Amino acid sequence: MYDTQKMSSTQSVSGVLATNKVLRNTYALLSMTLLFSALAAGVSMAVGMPRGGSMICSIAALALIWFVIPRTQHSSAGIFWVFAMTGLLGAGLGPMLSYYLATPAGASIVMQALAGTGIIFVGMSGYAMVTKRDFSFMSGFLFAGILIAFVASIANLFLQIPALHLAISAMFAVLSSFLILYQTNQIVRGGETNYISATVTLYVSLYNIFVSLLQILGVMGDD
């Protein structure tokens, strides 16, 4: 019985160490990709990337997320493709940031969006780490919601309805916030053991929140 208890205790400690390692690696890679993405956005702004280039970067990044990273996330090559994906999305942000910064209140809007994104991330991640609740039940809801929001955003490219655009931005912001809560909770509870896939989920969530807040604040500021 003593051996059984000792073995159980050892397994518990090993599980905690493994979880901490995944969390540590995820945050380290996320930090580096965010910096790389910011650098790519700066370069994009400096060279004056057109909006068409932004669209191409976004499509290329989606292709990596859907078809390349899932096949390489268990190898060191996955890290390269994560940086490629975040670099493309960062570069794609260049034209949008240039547009907002050219408006009278643009710098304030960008800073508010950055601050809001940071607050949401810290709040959702912090809660996921301290709560004892299991949020795995949210996976289906989040997947369906993000799919609906994505399809609606594609449709609105043709419909060009301002109110729908605002609603889609709000929907992406809310869903991405809960996705941070879900993904961090999965890491903490041992449901997510791959830091590359976890980094991609958290990065895309932060990206969506930032872009959504930019658009919402821009509308509120009549920009």
Side-chain angles (χ1 to χ4, degrees), residues 148-168:
I148 292 171
F150 181 75
V151 172
S153 65
I154 296 298
N156 203 43
L157 289 175
F158 303 96
L159 299 175
Q160 294 295 310
I161 302 174
L164 180 57
H165 178 73
L166 186 61
I168 292 170

Side-chain angles (χ1 to χ4, degrees), residues 26-43:
T26 298
Y27 281 178
L29 183 57
L30 180 63
S31 299
M32 289 186 288
T33 53
L34 287 172
L35 289 173
F36 183 67
S37 185
L39 177 62
V43 172

Side-chain angles (χ1 to χ4, degrees), residues 30 34 93 97 108-126 169 172-174 176-178 180-181 201-217:
L30 180 63
L34 287 172
L93 270 179
L97 291 174
S108 176
I109 290 174
V110 172
M111 292 307 297
Q112 289 178 52
L114 277 172
T117 303
I119 291 171
I120 291 172
F121 178 74
V122 171
M124 287 298 186
S125 298
S169 295
F172 265 120
V174 172
S176 296
S177 299
F178 281 109
I180 291 173
L181 174 67
T201 300
L202 292 176
Y203 176 90
V204 172
S205 298
L206 288 170
Y207 176 90
N208 285 334
I209 292 171
F210 176 66
V211 171
S212 297
L213 289 179
L214 265 182
Q215 295 170 342
I216 293 170
L217 292 169

Side-chain angles (χ1 to χ4, degrees), residues 117-138:
T117 303
I119 291 171
I120 291 172
F121 178 74
V122 171
M124 287 298 186
S125 298
Y127 180 66
M129 290 182 188
V130 300
T131 185
K132 295 182 179 180
R133 294 187 61 185
D134 181 3
F135 293 102
S136 58
F137 67 90
M138 297 175 63

